[in-house]
Amino acid sequence: MPALFQLVACLFFLVVPMCLIGQADSLPEASLEEVILTGQRPWKWQPLSSGTDSMQLLETFQPGVRNAFLREPGVFAYNGENFAQDVRISIRGFGSRSAFGIRGIRVWMDGIPLTSPDGTSQLDELSLWDVGTISWLRSGLAARYGNAAGGGMMLSSPVQFKGLQLRNAVSPSGAWNGGLRMGYGRQNTSHLTSFNHQYFQGQRDFAASRNFTVYHKTSTWLTKNWKLMLVGGAYHSPLGQDPGALNASEFDADRFQANTRNIQYLAGEAVSGGHVGMQSRIETPNGLVWVSSPYYRKRIFEARLPFTGGGWINLHRNLAGWHNTLEYSLLPSWKIATGTSLEWQQDSRRLAQNNNGSKGTASADQNEGVQNAGFWLQQEVSYRRIRMQQTTRFDVTQFYLDDLFLSDGDQSGESRFQNLNAALSAQSLLFLNLLLHAGISTGFETPTLNELTNNPLGTPGLNESLQAETSWQAEFGFRSDKSRAWNWSATGFNIELKDAILGYELPQTPGRTYFRNAPRARRTGLEMAASWAAKGWGSIEVQYTASRFQYRDFPSGTANFQGNIQPLIPMQRLGLRLQSSLGKYLDASVQCAWQSSMFADDGNLVRIPGFVECNAHVSTTNTFHRYIQLGLTASNVFGTMTYSNIRANAAGMRYYEAATPNLISLFASWTMAKRG
């Protein structure tokens, strides 16, 4: 979007809502805290928010995290069994390009960001044992959270309790998962500490992983108006094998074999680190609220890629941030919030030869960094049965590279991005408790440090040809307001992208992803969901997603992908979840999803067939035993999900990673606790 149009749009969004100030509000009351996510609850009027209770997922292995994503329209997840690559998540296409971890989506844990200033998020530092609920925001959030905010995922700890919980899960494949959680405290202070150890082995060769996590949260009221939350954690994953991907003939011969190059070079990773964070919330009697959240993270990463030159990676990452929010109600119908964010990240990256799994001669030594400063203003006004939100944000993001390996010349460089973004949304409560919502927003996403420094020219230094991605998004939909028995929603959206960032591989360095821009792309889609809770019986949930993500202009060498469909995004997905009791002693749930075919490459030459995935969970109730719970979970019950991951635009057409059929987990947990 041209800079002049962005500026005019921002001014328009800022001025128009003020014209509605001072009118009576006939809508149900909602606090601004929930709107701007300074708390840990999605705003009840936010049309694109939903909560997912993930307690059942805690009794299975880390691949089960995908099961939560099947319950959310517009959200796709892959790579549930390759821990060297981590789970890849996309929301309305944002994040689908990721070679590992999460891109383009903001992630929080207990209100503290897990996303680095360059837009990178990893879930390997957490265990499912640490997570009680997952909430989503599927709308563009750049006007509030800045870079890489195509969507949001908010993770929250389990409900505070006092007591002790133990659990253990085993699988016939040899996987094991054990955890301990303690809740304690007195008066105005509560503590929650959890430990988890997991060893995972699916059916694929050379795909084992091991990790240990510890997480702690303290909440205390220092005064009646001042609440303080402290969080901290550490993780150690010494084993994360990467079995690689296979081409079609290799997959047909033995889908569970590992890529021979990956075994030759002992491809995989080891990672460890920790974090600390604080959230201070002060609320004065006159309604002024100040929320301050400083945090620090450390990550030590070592990886072996399946090629020689630069195939051994050592990375030390330090990052810190400080977010501040000030909220105030000027009038009963006019609420305003403003805030700042300061973020800093520094990576020390060293590359060496990977000589068949042994570290060889050094080939690069460089310090990389990114600094971000952002300022935002958000307001909410109400007029009778209409509520409007407006947000404007300005960001300055600076990337730099200091080359310390000067034998091949000095490749130091820097890139600077300045972005002004805005969003305007409106909700109106209609007849029969029907809620109409609409919104428009702009967004941007810079390349990550890894994407900027992976230079396809084969030389050190930043890939200066890689541009930031910008977008414009419009959406419109309906949803039911609160209902005791049933709820439904339907939202359509259109996203126009400029310089969309996409990944690809080169034959000489298989397993390393490089990045390029598609000048123009368009994403259109429809997201629908419905749920019904029958008293005394159970519940039914249905979700449907339809999408068409298409390149409008994409020249690449001698080819032109104009009109092609973006890979890794199916055009349709339909999900169903049933939950019920089997008598007095057992609870059960079944979750199935069908998704249509999708493409594996930008050229749309390879189509991945559609499939049906089914998962099941059975566990005992409190009637069976007050303190002990026994159960069984099964992922990919019928083996109908053939692939756990597809690598887009992979070298040698090695797109395919097999999924383990009927991955069973038997678990037992013991709880001696009371809600606190």
Side-chain angles (χ1 to χ4, degrees):
M1 178 179 294
L4 178 60
F5 183 79
Q6 280 189 324
L7 178 59
V8 173
C10 289
L11 293 175
F12 176 78
F13 295 160
L14 182 63
V15 173
V16 169
M18 296 183 181
C19 299
L20 302 176
I21 293 170
Q23 301 297 326
D25 178 14
S26 62
L27 295 175
E29 182 61 26
S31 70
L32 188 61
E33 170 202 354
E34 294 172 319
V35 177
I36 59 179
L37 304 181
T38 57
Q40 297 162 24
R41 306 181 304 275
W43 184 43
K44 66 181 180 181
W45 274 87
Q46 169 57 262
L48 303 179
S49 296
S50 63
T52 300
D53 183 1
S54 58
M55 292 301 293
Q56 290 189 356
L57 303 179
L58 302 182
E59 314 303 346
T60 185
F61 299 101
Q62 205 78 4
V65 73
R66 290 189 65 257
N67 299 357
F69 306 149
L70 292 177
R71 298 172 61 181
E72 190 68 17
V75 180
F76 295 91
Y78 302 98
N79 202 23
E81 298 187 38
N82 187 332
F83 287 81
Q85 301 290 320
D86 206 356
V87 176
R88 185 177 70 248
I89 303 170
S90 70
I91 299 178
R92 295 183 176 177
F94 294 104
S96 61
R97 77 175 191 267
S98 176
F100 60 90
I102 300 173
R103 304 288 188 275
I105 301 169
R106 285 278 164 173
V107 184
W108 299 266
M109 177 65 184
D110 286 331
I112 304 298
L114 293 181
T115 303
S116 303
D118 70 342
T120 305
S121 306
Q122 268 102 18
L123 296 182
D124 54 8
E125 60 187 84
L126 292 174
S127 166
L128 284 177
W129 184 238
D130 304 325
V131 179
T133 58
I134 303 175
S135 300
W136 300 97
L137 285 169
R138 301 197 302 273
S139 184
L141 304 174
R144 172 60 177 85
Y145 293 104
N147 180 32
M153 182 171 66
M154 295 171 286
L155 312 175
S156 300
S157 299
V159 175
Q160 185 67 48
F161 70 99
K162 293 181 181 179
L164 184 68
Q165 293 179 319
L166 296 170
R167 65 88 184 244
N168 187 57
V170 296
S171 170
S173 65
W176 177 77
N177 197 353
L180 164 67
R181 182 186 295 136
M182 299 178 293
Y184 50 100
R186 61 180 181 178
Q187 296 180 342
N188 295 329
T189 301
S190 61
H191 308 277
L192 186 66
T193 304
S194 64
F195 304 87
N196 179 262
H197 181 267
Q198 176 176 263
Y199 171 79
F200 178 77
Q201 174 64 63
Q203 196 161 338
R204 284 201 74 186
D205 298 332
F206 199 69
S209 69
R210 180 180 290 109
N211 73 306
F212 176 83
T213 63
V214 57
Y215 186 78
H216 177 84
K217 180 176 77 171
T218 292
S219 298
T220 182
W221 287 93
L222 299 179
T223 70
K224 65 177 182 179
N225 298 321
W226 185 6
K227 183 179 181 180
L228 188 67
M229 182 186 69
L230 302 172
V231 299
Y235 58 98
H236 178 54
S237 301
L239 177 66
Q241 295 175 329
D242 181 4
L246 307 174
N247 60 33
S249 60
E250 293 168 338
F251 192 89
D252 291 340
D254 180 6
R255 67 179 60 184
F256 299 115
Q257 67 175 311
N259 187 307
T260 55
R261 288 181 63 96
N262 285 53
I263 296 177
Q264 175 187 349
Y265 288 93
L266 300 181
E269 68 174 29
V271 61
S272 60
H275 74 279
V276 292
M278 179 186 78
Q279 187 177 87
S280 169
R281 179 184 178 87
I282 301 175
E283 185 169 356
T284 65
N286 63 359
L288 183 68
V289 180
W290 176 35
V291 181
S292 183
S293 303
Y295 60 93
Y296 168 79
R297 316 190 86 85
K298 174 73 175 181
R299 185 175 178 88
I300 302 173
F301 174 80
E302 182 177 84
R304 299 175 300 277
L305 300 180
F307 50 85
T308 302
W312 193 289
I313 303 173
N314 288 99
L315 179 73
H316 284 220
R317 169 171 294 174
N318 291 279
L319 66 92
W322 186 20
H323 295 183
N324 284 277
T325 297
L326 191 65
E327 310 171 23
Y328 190 68
S329 296
L330 298 177
L331 295 171
S333 59
W334 183 16
K335 302 176 183 179
I336 192 167
T338 185
T340 61
S341 64
L342 299 173
E343 297 178 318
W344 167 84
Q345 175 182 342
Q346 184 180 58
D347 292 357
S348 175
R349 187 189 303 268
R350 293 176 174 85
L351 305 181
Q353 291 183 344
N354 181 359
N355 295 326
N356 296 327
S358 298
K359 187 175 182 179
T361 305
S363 59
D365 184 359
Q366 57 202 40
N367 290 329
E368 310 158 4
V370 57
Q371 299 161 354
N372 171 265
F375 171 79
W376 57 271
L377 176 68
Q378 182 176 25
Q379 58 182 325
E380 174 190 294
V381 297
S382 303
Y383 175 74
R384 296 182 180 177
R385 300 175 67 85
I386 299 175
R387 178 166 293 151
M388 298 182 65
Q389 297 177 33
Q390 177 276 325
T391 312
T392 305
R393 178 176 173 126
F394 179 71
D395 282 273
V396 178
T397 308
Q398 179 82 27
F399 289 81
Y400 68 87
L401 184 149
D402 292 333
D403 189 2
L404 307 178
F405 192 83
L406 302 178
S407 61
D408 57 354
D410 189 351
Q411 310 295 332
S412 301
E414 62 180 37
S415 294
R416 182 185 179 92
F417 303 94
Q418 297 186 43
N419 300 90
L420 179 66
N421 289 280
L424 177 65
S425 65
Q427 302 91 32
S428 178
L429 186 62
L430 306 179
F431 56 90
L432 299 177
N433 287 331
L434 182 65
L435 180 68
L436 178 150
H437 60 85
I440 55 176
S441 62
T442 64
F444 79 102
E445 185 174 350
T446 68
T448 68
L449 282 174
N450 173 264
E451 294 168 356
L452 278 173
T453 56
N454 276 0
N455 197 328
L457 299 178
T459 59
L462 297 176
N463 179 7
E464 297 181 357
S465 65
L466 193 59
Q467 303 296 312
E469 174 181 298
T470 58
S471 61
W472 177 90
Q473 182 170 173
E475 59 186 89
F476 178 85
F478 297 88
R479 61 172 291 182
S480 60
D481 193 32
K482 279 190 173 182
S483 172
R484 295 182 180 180
W486 68 278
N487 287 278
W488 65 271
S489 65
T491 301
F493 65 88
N494 181 76
I495 306 174
E496 300 288 339
L497 297 105
K498 180 181 178 182
D499 294 322
I501 302 174
L502 306 165
Y504 67 100
E505 291 185 7
L506 295 175
Q508 59 268 31
T509 53
R512 170 169 287 171
T513 305
Y514 303 92
F515 295 87
R516 58 193 175 190
N517 295 111
R520 291 191 303 154
R522 173 180 292 165
R523 298 172 182 167
T524 58
L526 175 65
E527 301 161 346
M528 303 176 67
S531 63
W532 177 58
K535 189 175 181 180
W537 179 83
S539 63
I540 300 176
E541 299 176 12
V542 180
Q543 310 87 26
Y544 175 73
T545 303
S547 60
R548 185 174 182 84
F549 298 173
Q550 194 168 27
Y551 300 131
R552 299 184 64 192
D553 182 21
F554 190 6
S556 178
T558 59
N560 193 322
F561 302 136
Q562 180 179 356
N564 286 6
I565 301 298
Q566 179 181 331
L568 300 189
I569 302 295
M571 298 187 70
Q572 296 185 81
R573 188 181 70 187
L574 177 64
L576 174 66
R577 184 174 186 266
L578 304 176
Q579 186 172 5
S580 183
S581 298
L582 304 178
K584 296 190 302 181
Y585 300 111
L586 291 176
D587 286 333
S589 66
V590 177
Q591 179 177 266
C592 293
W594 165 82
Q595 74 173 43
S596 63
S597 63
M598 61 184 182
F599 292 104
D601 61 321
D602 290 329
N604 291 180
L605 301 176
V606 178
R607 184 185 291 269
I608 308 300
F611 62 88
V612 174
E613 173 185 0
C614 288
N615 309 298
H617 176 100
V618 179
S619 62
T620 59
T621 66
N622 290 338
T623 306
F624 173 79
H625 197 281
R626 183 177 179 183
Y627 304 116
I628 297 175
Q629 184 183 48
L630 305 176
L632 176 149
T633 64
S635 300
N636 196 15
V637 175
F638 304 110
T640 50
M641 183 178 70
T642 307
Y643 312 108
S644 71
N645 188 34
I646 298 294
R647 300 198 185 188
N649 299 311
M653 302 183 72
R654 289 186 167 88
Y655 304 119
Y656 312 103
E657 296 191 57
T660 298
N662 200 13
L663 180 59
I664 295 176
S665 166
L666 303 172
F667 68 86
S669 65
W670 175 82
T671 302
M672 182 66 70
K674 63 179 181 179
R675 299 288 181 181

